[in-house]
Amino acid sequence: MAEDLETGMIRISDDVVATIAGLAALETPGIAAMSGGISEGLAKRLSGKNAQKGVTVEVGQLEAAIDLRVIVQYGIPIQEVCRQLQLGVREAVENMTGLHVVEVNVKVDGVLFKEETADEPAPGGSRLVK
C-alpha cells in the first residue's frame, strides 16, 4: 500500500501484511498450525520469515488478497473454522493497515488430532494427517 499525503508517503510492505495475517490466523480457535510446502518452509527458514509461514499476500495501493495454508484441529467443523479464520484475518489486516481485503483464500493442508487409548496417550500425544 502506498498513500500520498501532504506530509509524505505511507507504504505498507507485503511482509507486514503477511505477518499480521499469520498471527491473526494462529489466534483463530481450531487452527492448529500454519502449513508451508517443503520449498516454502526452507526458503522462510533461510530468510528468517517464520511468522509468515503458510501466508501469501498480494498488496496493491488500496487492496490486498491473502492466501493461507493451515492445519486444523480434529473434531471441529472445518468449514466453520475456515469461515472464522477468513473473518478474523480480514478484520485484523483491515484494522491495522487500512487496506481493503478483497479475498482471504484458505487451503486446509492437514488435520491434527490427539491419539488417546483407554490405557495411555500416544507418544507425543498428537498426530498430523495430510
Side-chain angles (χ1 to χ4, degrees):
M1 175 186 140
E3 184 176 332
D4 285 316
L5 300 174
E6 291 178 9
T7 57
M9 182 176 276
I10 298 172
R11 293 182 189 175
I12 299 176
S13 164
D14 292 8
D15 290 344
V16 170
V17 175
T19 299
I20 293 167
L23 293 172
L26 290 172
E27 292 176 358
T28 304
I31 298 298
M34 301 302 291
S35 174
I38 294 171
S39 61
E40 179 183 343
L42 178 61
K44 292 201 175 172
R45 259 185 268 131
L46 294 174
S47 66
K49 296 181 179 178
N50 287 325
Q52 301 163 11
K53 178 181 175 185
V55 181
T56 306
V57 299
E58 292 181 35
V59 179
Q61 290 202 1
L62 300 174
E63 298 178 330
I66 302 167
D67 294 325
L68 303 169
R69 295 178 65 181
V70 299
I71 297 169
V72 297
Q73 295 173 349
Y74 177 77
I76 300 174
I78 293 173
Q79 186 173 0
E80 291 177 23
V81 169
C82 291
R83 176 65 59 201
Q84 289 304 313
L85 173 62
Q86 289 174 315
L87 295 173
V89 168
R90 176 184 306 270
E91 182 178 328
V93 171
E94 287 183 348
N95 287 341
M96 293 186 74
T97 65
L99 292 167
H100 173 65
V101 177
V102 293
E103 61 185 20
V104 178
N105 300 308
V106 179
K107 180 180 180 192
V108 177
D109 278 347
V111 175
L112 182 72
F113 67 98
K114 295 185 186 249
E115 289 184 354
E116 296 180 359
T117 63
D119 299 323
E120 62 185 284
S126 64
R127 189 172 100 198
L128 173 65
V129 176
K130 287 189 176 182

